[in-house]
Amino acid sequence: MRITRIAAYRVDLPLHEGKYAWSGGKAVSVFDSTIVRVETDAGPVGHGEVCPLGPAYLPAYAAGVRAGLGEVAPALLGQDPTELAAINRQMDRVLKGHPYVKSPIDMACWDILGQATGQPVCALLGGRFGADVILYRAISQDTPQRMAERVAQYRKEGYRRFQLKVGGEPEEDIERIRAVAAELERGDVLVADANTGWLSHQALRVARGVRDVDVYIEQPCLGYEECLAVRRHIDHPFVLDESITGIPELVRAHGDGAMDVVNLKIGKLGGLTNARLARDLCVTLGIAMTIEDSWGGDVTTAAIAHLAHSTPPELRFTATDFNSYVTVSTAEGAPQREGGRMAASAAPGLGVTPRTDVLGDPVLDFA
Ligand code: MG
């Protein structure tokens, strides 16, 4: 099988809530997503998606996806999309770094491999564990009262795990965590995600201020060393996210005892191939995982569902259904949240069929 064409589409994804805000006053109201289509000479057509959380979150931005695809895509024409290691090696050969650029192509090649073998991607990634995957709901940064109201609302919709966007002024973040914790019941899970927004003295003040609250602290500071210092001074369970950009960082953090849970984002790691490697390493090392991406719509959500569903449940801390946050559906067949849970499709590949009317004309086309 050979790749005959790679096209990319740009889709705007507005939010049901109007905007999504996190640490440092950063916010996005319309996400700029790129969906990649990979065609073959044997019939299967694969799709992948990457959607950075705006240009100011990770070193990734939407226009950079499209510029990077211009470097990578021509070098993949004529290659076998089912040889995932060879595809990734070729992408790394022609473009150093920029894992988020490579993620949608890798995702589309897994979609093709699934279609070619008649297997859902979760089966190829290791098997389907359990009936479904437990989701968390990210709570955009707002006043403590408004965030508590949101949690109460999403609790009614079936979510039991919540990730608060903190990383602001310490006193207010303490109020945010306390206001939301008051809404929760036994069995619920609360994470306070600072998204690198605190300096270490601020993180220590917040942790001290909520010492009696059952809450996880996620990525308090920008640097790994600051996060590690905070981790060693507090007794809350601890999540690393932005600092874990690849396997060397994961191995080092495990060796340092730097986290209890790691947040694996498919785009941050460069696609399902690399995310599966990190996932399998975490399974072997006994590190629980949040399995997700930076953002996305139906195609990203499908890929998350396959990676999460093929992860043993005791190591699956939580996952994200981004397609329920956005107002535009880009594909049929994507997982739909039910009572705070979702399941990977049983159809071959990712199980999604993009809506051509929503995608419009390609913004890039290599053949
Ligand atoms: Mg995070």
Side-chain angles (χ1 to χ4, degrees), residues 57 163 165 193 195 218-219 241-242 263 265 292:
Y57 173 56
Q163 189 202 65
K165 293 295 157 186
D193 186 357
N195 289 111
E218 179 164 339
Q219 189 79 36
D241 180 350
E242 287 88 343
N263 187 314
K265 291 182 162 73
E292 59 168 2

Side-chain angles (χ1 to χ4, degrees), residues 6-315:
I6 297 176
Y9 304 81
R10 181 193 162 163
V11 185
D12 281 343
L13 301 175
L15 293 158
H16 287 294
E17 287 189 8
K19 82 168 181 179
Y20 182 78
W22 67 100
S23 69
K26 294 189 273 280
V28 172
S29 52
V30 178
F31 283 94
D32 178 344
S33 190
T34 302
I35 292 179
V36 170
R37 173 184 173 94
V38 176
E39 297 183 7
T40 65
D41 61 359
V45 176
H47 293 88
E49 178 179 16
V50 69
C51 182
L53 193 74
Y57 173 56
L58 293 173
Y61 65 111
V65 173
R66 268 100 61 177
L69 286 172
E71 302 291 332
V72 171
L76 296 175
L77 297 174
Q79 304 282 313
D80 185 338
T82 66
E83 295 185 351
L84 269 305
I87 288 287
N88 275 277
R89 199 170 169 83
Q90 175 72 346
M91 289 198 286
D92 289 341
R93 196 181 69 79
V94 299
L95 178 67
K96 187 173 176 66
H98 299 275
Y100 64 105
V101 169
K102 300 161 185 173
S103 184
I105 290 180
D106 175 78
M107 210 180 270
C109 290
W110 278 96
D111 190 17
I112 290 168
L113 179 62
Q115 292 171 44
T117 57
Q119 299 267 14
V121 168
C122 65
L124 299 173
L125 292 173
R128 184 185 296 268
F129 288 89
D132 51 23
V133 171
I134 299 175
L135 300 164
Y136 81 83
R137 188 76 193 193
I139 306 297
S140 178
Q141 191 172 108
D142 207 328
T143 63
Q145 187 189 343
R146 191 76 197 110
M147 291 175 83
E149 287 166 4
R150 289 272 193 224
V151 165
Q153 170 204 332
Y154 287 119
R155 238 190 141 270
K156 278 190 195 138
E157 293 181 21
Y159 287 103
R160 294 291 180 271
R161 298 181 182 187
F162 302 94
Q163 189 202 65
L164 307 186
K165 293 295 157 186
V166 289
E169 195 273 322
E171 277 99 342
E172 189 169 30
D173 280 337
I174 291 169
E175 288 169 13
R176 287 180 172 116
I177 294 166
R178 290 196 171 278
V180 167
E183 297 292 326
L184 302 185
E185 295 181 16
R186 185 189 172 102
D188 293 355
V189 175
L190 182 60
V191 178
D193 186 357
N195 289 111
T196 75
W198 292 321
L199 296 173
S200 61
H201 69 95
Q202 297 169 315
L204 293 173
R205 284 178 62 203
V206 174
R208 195 160 294 167
V210 298
R211 195 162 185 192
D212 58 319
V213 179
D214 182 8
V215 59
Y216 292 71
I217 302 293
E218 179 164 339
Q219 189 79 36
C221 306
L222 180 61
Y224 172 75
E225 286 77 9
E226 293 98 296
C227 287
L228 183 59
V230 169
R231 151 78 163 174
R232 287 176 171 162
H233 282 90
I234 70 174
D235 54 13
H236 291 91
F238 203 81
V239 188
L240 280 180
D241 180 350
E242 287 88 343
S243 287
I244 306 300
T245 52
I247 300 299
E249 292 77 13
L250 179 62
V251 169
R252 180 186 176 198
H254 174 69
D256 289 342
M259 75 223 153
D260 305 293
V261 182
V262 65
N263 187 314
L264 301 181
K265 291 182 162 73
I266 296 170
K268 176 179 73 174
L269 296 167
L272 283 169
T273 301
N274 290 332
R276 178 187 61 166
L277 177 59
R279 188 276 309 272
D280 289 346
L281 194 55
C282 287
V283 171
T284 303
L285 298 173
I287 305 167
M289 290 161 272
T290 290
I291 294 176
E292 59 168 2
D293 212 325
S294 291
W295 205 269
D298 283 317
V299 181
T300 293
T301 302
I304 292 168
H306 284 287
L307 185 63
H309 217 146
S310 60
T311 302
E314 65 274 21
L315 290 145

